[in-house]
Amino acid sequence: MAGGAREVLTLQLGHFAGFVGAHWWNQQDAALGRTTEGEESPGELCPDVLYRSGRTLHGQETYTPRLILMDLKGSLNTLKEEGSLYRDRQLEAAIAWQGKLTTHREEANSKNPNLQDLLSAEGVLSSDGALRAKLIQNGKENSIKVWSDFLRVHLHPRSICVIQKYNHDGETGRLEAFGQGESVLKEPRYLEELEDRLHFYVEECDYLQGFQILCDLHDGFSGVGAKTAELLQDEYSGRGVLTWGLLPGPYSLGEPQKNIYRLLNTAFGLVHLAGYSSFVCPLSLGGNLGLRPKPPVNFPYLHYDATLPFHCSAILATALDTVTVPYRLRSSTVSMAHLADVLSFSGKKVVTAEAIIPFPLVRGQSLPDILMQLGEATPWTSLSACGDSAGHRCFAQSVVLRGIDRASHTSKLNPGTPLPSTLHACASGEEVLAQYLEQQHPRVLSSSYLLLTPCKMAPPYPHFFSSFSQKGLAMDGAPKGAVQSIPVFGALRSTSSLQRTLRDLGDELARLDLRRWASFMDAGVEQDDMEELLQELHSLAQCYQEGGGLSN
């Protein structure tokens, strides 16, 4: 791989973050693979931003994610903590030791038998070189309980860090509260382990632009994430720290303690992560961040089961793969810090994500045709559980449209034909996109990116798309094979809708009788911390008042 990349170190903190991360890395790996039908990759994205080159003790070259991953005891299933690319460290120790050995074995986790088709029979190349994907039955998707069941990427031995003091499964020993998570990184054992891994990856970077944190917000990992972001700010000042706060799908009113903990963890996590990050973006397919459950979000062209983490995480990973494009381009000078500066000015440290998955490109139609058909109504689906941004003031936005071939960028109308819209008069796809955004949000600070590269949908990505071709084109009938790639329209935005979201979150917290939830407070949160949290939420909400921004 060519040098000169502006490296990014990814940190995944929590089990749902592991789900999103597994899909994310599977998609990166699919993008590294060869294209179908002899096509050449556009080469717009630089994989060296996210990956590192290495060599095993046996001289085998490796290319692995630049990744630190933290999860709990029992979360890995059959995946080894040290990975499988490099020589077994225990075996090396045994060879070096000449004395008597005593071996104690724990019973190994068994592989999930329902996933063998998903992981082996699916990704098979047929004689004509086309990737044939066997459709996964819902029963098999239901059996996916841990992210390691479907991760298809080899990890470096320095990637996985297991927090042994807390259990992934069971009724006891759970990492449930923000204070517990903070205390994990106050222990020298875990703090030193994290610092050692950070130094290992950072010291080999030529130009580290920053860190992206994928962090569970709903449980104690919100506290782990807050302490991690604080550490990064202290040790790597000036680097971008972009945090993606992750929440699983819908929840039940029948679990009051779990819901109260989720609310408290989310609020403490958001405020602390906003304080230590360049920005924080909540990512969830749930309807809101508060206690009153709302239906999960709908996608016009995608059908998913919101109760399955395997499904929800795939959608969020696809959105993440799109909105992070600006700082992963070969040609762009936009860094993580610059992207954050554009979106989070004047204290607006919380941003939202929205997307159209997939973008409904029809064969024979041009980009101006599709955008005109979307109309003036906001076509986006919110991915931040912060409500619909339609009708709210947009302060700034970063927009990415990917997977549109060059021939479709501009109007295909014959010369002399009356133009249906001003978009049809544009001379380039970039001009079409910029003018569309200006029409949607006049006089708003916007940065836009148009890519030929689509999002890859290689197995074991779920089969969401019932009316799209293998290349992601909208169809009237059923596709002839599994969808291999799709066009996606994604956006990060700073909007006035966040004022109500953050204010409502504070109001719900203020109404809580904390005496009923003493166990949360006993985990390391004081009454003064709660009062400070409410004040911070109020101050954050004030940043998003109508009338504040760079435009009139």
Side-chain angles (χ1 to χ4, degrees):
M1 295 287 173
R6 301 168 303 150
E7 300 97 342
V8 170
L9 174 55
T10 303
L11 296 100
Q12 289 170 207
L13 310 175
H15 202 67
F16 189 60
F19 267 82
V20 175
H23 280 299
W24 158 274
W25 292 114
N26 287 346
Q27 286 185 297
Q28 307 312 311
D29 188 62
L32 288 174
R34 71 175 187 77
T35 54
T36 59
E37 300 177 9
E39 292 180 349
E40 289 190 14
S41 170
E44 295 162 310
L45 298 173
C46 178
D48 290 352
V49 171
L50 300 173
Y51 281 76
R52 64 178 297 278
S53 297
R55 193 179 295 273
T56 69
L57 294 175
H58 301 291
Q60 176 191 358
E61 290 188 359
T62 62
Y63 197 55
T64 52
R66 191 178 296 105
L67 168 69
I68 298 172
L69 181 159
M70 299 184 81
D71 210 335
L72 306 179
K73 182 179 180 181
S75 62
L76 300 184
N77 201 359
T78 57
L79 179 64
K80 293 182 179 180
E81 187 174 345
E82 68 274 12
S84 59
L85 270 184
Y86 291 72
R87 195 170 177 178
D88 190 284
R89 291 180 291 188
Q90 292 180 341
L91 177 60
E92 290 174 357
I95 292 172
W97 172 250
Q98 301 299 318
K100 185 178 179 180
L101 292 175
T102 303
T103 303
H104 302 272
R105 290 188 181 274
E106 284 188 359
E107 186 175 343
N109 289 315
S110 58
K111 290 186 177 181
N112 188 331
N114 293 321
L115 301 178
Q116 296 312 301
D117 285 345
L118 184 151
L119 294 174
S120 57
E122 278 207 316
V124 177
L125 289 174
S126 65
S127 58
D128 63 356
L131 188 66
R132 303 303 184 199
K134 180 177 179 181
L135 292 177
I136 309 169
Q137 300 299 317
N138 282 335
K140 292 179 180 177
E141 293 187 346
N142 286 334
S143 72
I144 298 174
K145 303 300 182 186
V146 294
W147 54 264
S148 53
D149 276 344
F150 64 94
L151 177 70
R152 300 195 65 163
V153 177
H154 286 296
L155 301 181
H156 189 273
R158 298 265 190 147
S159 280
I160 300 176
C161 175
V162 175
I163 301 173
Q164 297 287 349
K165 68 179 293 185
Y166 292 110
N167 297 319
H168 170 62
D169 284 318
E171 296 300 318
T172 59
R174 305 298 295 271
L175 184 60
E176 296 177 309
F178 178 86
Q180 289 176 298
E182 279 196 314
S183 68
V184 166
L185 290 184
K186 291 178 182 177
E187 293 186 28
R189 170 188 175 184
Y190 294 112
L191 177 60
E192 289 171 9
E193 191 164 357
L194 175 58
E195 288 179 329
D196 287 346
R197 291 164 192 258
L198 284 169
H199 293 156
F200 171 77
Y201 285 113
V202 169
E203 288 170 6
E204 65 181 11
C205 293
D206 294 322
Y207 177 62
L208 177 74
Q209 60 169 312
F211 307 85
Q212 54 183 14
I213 302 175
L214 280 66
C215 174
D216 287 0
L217 279 184
H218 61 290
D219 57 20
F221 272 103
S222 61
V224 177
K227 294 301 289 183
T228 300
E230 182 181 4
L231 174 66
L232 294 178
Q233 187 190 67
D234 289 344
E235 292 205 14
Y236 304 99
S237 175
R239 311 294 186 185
V241 179
L242 307 188
T243 300
W244 313 94
L246 303 166
L247 294 139
Y251 55 94
S252 168
L253 282 175
E255 301 175 295
Q257 176 169 320
K258 191 173 181 180
N259 291 337
I260 294 294
Y261 273 42
R262 181 185 59 79
L263 176 72
L264 287 163
N265 288 326
T266 298
F268 273 102
L270 269 181
V271 166
H272 283 76
L273 287 166
Y276 297 121
S277 305
S278 305
F279 70 59
V280 57
C281 177
L283 289 176
S284 174
L285 301 185
N288 71 342
L289 298 176
L291 284 176
R292 299 190 179 198
K294 291 185 179 180
V297 298
N298 290 317
F299 296 85
Y301 315 106
L302 181 157
H303 307 287
Y304 75 105
D305 185 342
T307 65
L308 297 181
F310 181 64
H311 279 196
C312 295
S313 57
I315 295 169
L316 295 179
T318 298
L320 199 57
D321 189 33
T322 298
V323 298
T324 58
V325 155
Y327 57 84
R328 297 192 288 124
L329 290 170
R330 291 187 191 275
S331 60
S332 175
T333 58
V334 175
S335 66
M336 302 176 88
H338 179 267
L339 177 64
D341 287 343
V342 168
L343 293 168
S344 62
F345 61 90
S346 302
K348 299 178 179 67
K349 298 289 286 292
V350 182
V351 302
T352 62
E354 301 176 20
I356 305 175
I357 306 175
F359 183 72
L361 187 64
V362 178
R363 190 182 304 277
Q365 287 193 326
S366 67
L367 179 57
D369 295 332
I370 303 295
L371 293 176
M372 189 181 71
Q373 289 170 13
L374 290 177
E376 294 184 2
T378 303
W380 309 89
T381 298
S382 172
L383 303 178
S384 293
C386 293
D388 191 348
S389 65
H392 290 277
R393 169 83 180 281
C394 179
F395 302 113
Q397 60 182 345
S398 171
V399 178
V400 177
L401 176 56
R402 60 186 303 186
I404 311 297
D405 67 79
R406 203 178 302 278
S408 300
H409 281 187
T410 55
S411 174
K412 299 179 181 179
L413 296 175
N414 293 324
T417 305
L419 299 179
S421 74
T422 56
L423 300 179
H424 289 77
C426 295
S428 69
E430 288 77 9
E431 188 182 342
V432 170
L433 183 55
Q435 189 164 132
Y436 171 75
L437 294 175
E438 173 64 23
Q439 293 173 359
Q440 291 279 306
H441 300 285
R443 300 180 304 282
V444 166
L445 180 62
S446 298
S447 56
S448 58
Y449 306 85
L450 182 62
L451 274 71
L452 303 175
T453 309
C455 274
K456 294 288 187 176
M457 301 288 109
Y461 195 89
H463 296 275
F464 292 140
F465 315 105
S466 59
S467 57
F468 283 80
S469 71
Q470 290 181 316
K471 299 293 181 63
L473 294 173
M475 300 172 60
D476 292 331
K480 295 180 180 179
V483 175
Q484 298 172 11
S485 62
I486 58 168
V488 177
F489 207 179
L492 293 175
R493 289 197 172 99
S494 174
T495 73
S496 61
S497 64
L498 283 161
Q499 182 183 17
R500 179 171 180 177
T501 297
L502 296 169
R503 186 185 62 208
D504 288 352
L505 199 58
D507 289 345
E508 289 201 62
L509 289 169
R511 289 193 293 267
L512 289 181
D513 182 359
L514 293 177
R515 291 170 298 182
R516 295 185 56 195
W517 312 108
S519 56
F520 183 91
M521 308 298 283
D522 291 343
V525 174
E526 305 288 341
Q527 180 63 41
D528 288 347
D529 297 326
M530 191 68 185
E531 293 173 4
E532 185 178 343
L533 171 70
L534 294 175
Q535 181 58 46
E536 290 286 344
L537 277 173
H538 176 76
S539 298
L540 260 179
Q542 290 296 100
C543 295
Y544 297 91
Q545 287 187 90
E546 296 272 2
L550 295 182
S551 59
N552 295 321

